[in-house]
Amino acid sequence: MDFQPSILRDGNPMESLEKQLLCPICLEMFSKPVVILPCQHNLCRKCANDIFQAANPYWQSRGSSIISGGRFRCPTCRHEVLLDRHGVYGLQRNLLVENIIDIYKQECSSRPLKKGEHLMCKEHEDERINIYCVTCEVPTCSMCKVFGAHKDCEVAPLQSIFQGQKSELNNCISMLVAGNDRIQTIISQLEDSCRSTEENSEAAKQELCARFDAFAALLEEKKTELLGRITREQEDKTGFVQGLIHKYKEQLEKSSRLVETAIQAMEETGGAAFLMVRPQPLKPSLPMGNPLGTIVEASKGGRLEKIEQGYENMDAFTVSLEHLADAVRVLDFEPGNSTLKTPLGPGDEGPS
């Protein structure tokens, strides 16, 4: 318990001391006060137990064996108090406060009562307010009941009403404190849920990015493979055509030489000289012949290979990606979890 320095400077130190000795729950002087570690505030043991029971509805004991410990919050500073398996009975009693209360009560009992220490009736100035009008719900004096405004009302002892309402207020305070503890627990759970949601969302985003990156890498790998096949087909076809071009150029060169020889033969006017011209044949395997035979053979045309019509066409390497585009457009998450749902493509079979 913390005493304020202002107590010593107060004009009525006993009254200030009494305020320091009041339990914040029952608003009465401490009864078997226990100190709440580590905040050092005090509560009646019964009040502390009421708060503890309200905050821990499932805490129970069997005989002298306690099932489990628990926790509650200090009603003064809201500090969370953790208890062991002994519950409230494990808290230390504040013997110093108990001794101060005993001394205070002894001092109060030895002092004579003064008129100003009690509330007096406004209608009957010499009468103390000592009863409670139940009908009007106000405290009053005996004279008001006998002769005054409350003579026809139902009354009750002031102390009885005071204790009843104080007990009810005490119960309400305990319920409010327990309710505050439950609300604080819910707030903590919601904050934990918010943090978990953010962490799980970040993990889901990373997993989604990893899946799309892997899919993009697979597409890039397939594209490289198909481009390689087109390149190899291009090299095969252009290589074959380049070979044919080389052969036709050789034949053209030989044919041009033969034309020159034939023109020279045509310039001869004598028969013997004309027949002496021996041009080389187009093919090395053939014997040298006369001009007419060689030219006739050359005029028949070469027998080199030719390419078919549409040989340069590359339509066979066309790829249709429409089914993949449709699958990507309808890509979505599986109901109930964060796993991506991949639609079936052409030729895929669903579950039987």
Side-chain angles (χ1 to χ4, degrees):
M1 189 183 80
D2 297 329
F3 288 96
Q4 302 295 332
S6 60
I7 294 177
L8 302 178
R9 300 191 301 267
D10 200 309
N12 191 347
M14 295 301 292
E15 182 179 348
S16 299
L17 178 60
E18 181 179 355
K19 293 180 182 180
Q20 295 293 321
L21 298 177
L22 294 180
C23 173
I25 299 298
C26 64
L27 302 180
E28 295 182 358
M29 281 197 179
F30 291 114
S31 174
K32 297 181 180 179
V34 292
V35 61
I36 304 176
L37 299 176
C39 66
Q40 296 294 313
H41 289 117
N42 293 270
L43 288 176
C44 298
R45 186 163 67 182
K46 179 182 180 302
C47 295
N49 190 59
D50 291 342
I51 298 176
F52 176 73
Q53 293 288 347
N56 301 269
Y58 300 107
W59 185 90
Q60 56 180 338
S61 62
R62 295 179 181 174
S64 60
S65 177
I66 306 300
I67 301 303
S68 62
R71 64 184 64 194
F72 70 97
R73 291 185 181 275
C74 173
T76 302
C77 65
R78 307 300 301 155
H79 181 83
E80 188 174 56
V81 182
L82 300 178
L83 301 181
D84 58 16
R85 61 189 183 86
H86 299 291
V88 172
Y89 292 91
L91 294 174
Q92 296 181 359
R93 288 179 60 175
N94 197 331
L95 299 180
L96 174 61
V97 174
E98 288 191 41
N99 294 333
I100 293 175
I101 291 175
D102 292 339
I103 296 173
Y104 175 81
K105 289 181 177 179
Q106 292 175 5
E107 177 66 20
C108 289
S109 61
S110 62
R111 288 188 305 157
L113 292 177
K114 297 180 181 179
K115 182 178 178 180
E117 293 181 353
H118 301 280
L119 292 178
M120 308 303 289
C121 180
K122 293 182 179 180
E123 298 294 330
H124 308 91
E125 296 181 357
D126 294 330
E127 293 293 328
R128 291 170 49 190
I129 294 178
N130 56 359
I131 61 174
Y132 184 81
C133 178
V134 179
T135 305
C136 300
E137 297 183 346
V138 293
T140 185
C141 72
S142 302
M143 296 298 293
C144 287
K145 170 59 181 171
V146 178
F147 304 107
H150 302 285
K151 63 181 180 179
D152 297 325
C153 299
E154 179 184 357
V155 296
L158 184 64
Q159 191 66 19
S160 175
I161 300 298
F162 166 70
Q163 293 296 338
Q165 291 192 4
K166 205 167 195 181
S167 177
E168 182 180 358
L169 180 61
N170 180 33
N171 294 334
C172 292
I173 292 174
S174 299
M175 293 176 62
L176 287 174
V177 171
N180 291 342
D181 288 341
R182 286 192 291 269
I183 292 174
Q184 184 61 47
T185 300
I186 293 174
I187 292 174
S188 300
Q189 292 174 349
L190 292 175
E191 290 174 347
D192 292 341
S193 177
C194 185
R195 285 192 295 269
S196 298
T197 299
E198 293 176 352
E199 294 172 357
N200 294 338
S201 298
E202 189 62 29
K205 290 178 182 179
Q206 293 178 0
E207 181 181 0
L208 182 64
C209 291
R211 288 176 180 267
F212 271 88
D213 291 343
F215 185 63
L218 180 61
L219 288 177
E220 188 66 26
E221 180 181 352
K222 194 64 178 179
K223 183 182 76 172
T224 302
E225 175 190 344
L226 296 179
L227 287 175
R229 289 173 57 183
I230 295 175
T231 300
R232 289 193 295 273
E233 183 71 11
Q234 171 192 348
E235 292 173 351
D236 292 343
K237 286 189 174 184
T238 54
F240 178 74
V241 173
Q242 291 291 345
L244 289 181
I245 292 174
H246 180 71
K247 292 180 181 181
Y248 275 100
K249 284 184 177 181
E250 288 182 348
Q251 181 174 349
L252 178 62
E253 183 180 355
K254 293 178 180 179
S255 178
S256 298
R257 289 197 302 267
L258 183 59
V259 169
E260 293 177 357
T261 303
I263 292 174
Q264 293 177 0
M266 288 293 293
E267 293 176 352
E268 295 292 337
T269 57
F274 175 79
L275 294 176
M276 289 296 293
V277 178
R278 311 289 287 183
Q280 294 291 332
L282 293 177
K283 295 183 180 181
S285 60
L286 297 178
M288 295 178 61
N290 57 38
L292 181 59
T294 304
I295 292 173
V296 170
E297 179 185 356
S299 64
K300 293 180 180 179
R303 297 179 180 178
L304 298 177
E305 294 181 85
K306 297 181 180 179
I307 58 175
E308 298 178 358
Q309 185 177 3
Y311 178 79
E312 67 281 359
N313 199 320
M314 301 292 283
D315 293 341
F317 293 93
T318 301
V319 175
S320 176
L321 298 178
E322 287 301 321
H323 65 286
L324 291 180
D326 293 339
V328 171
R329 291 188 189 99
V330 300
L331 195 63
D332 204 348
F333 296 105
E334 291 282 0
N337 56 50
S338 59
T339 303
L340 278 176
K341 173 178 63 179
T342 305
L344 298 177
D348 295 336
E349 296 181 358
S352 57

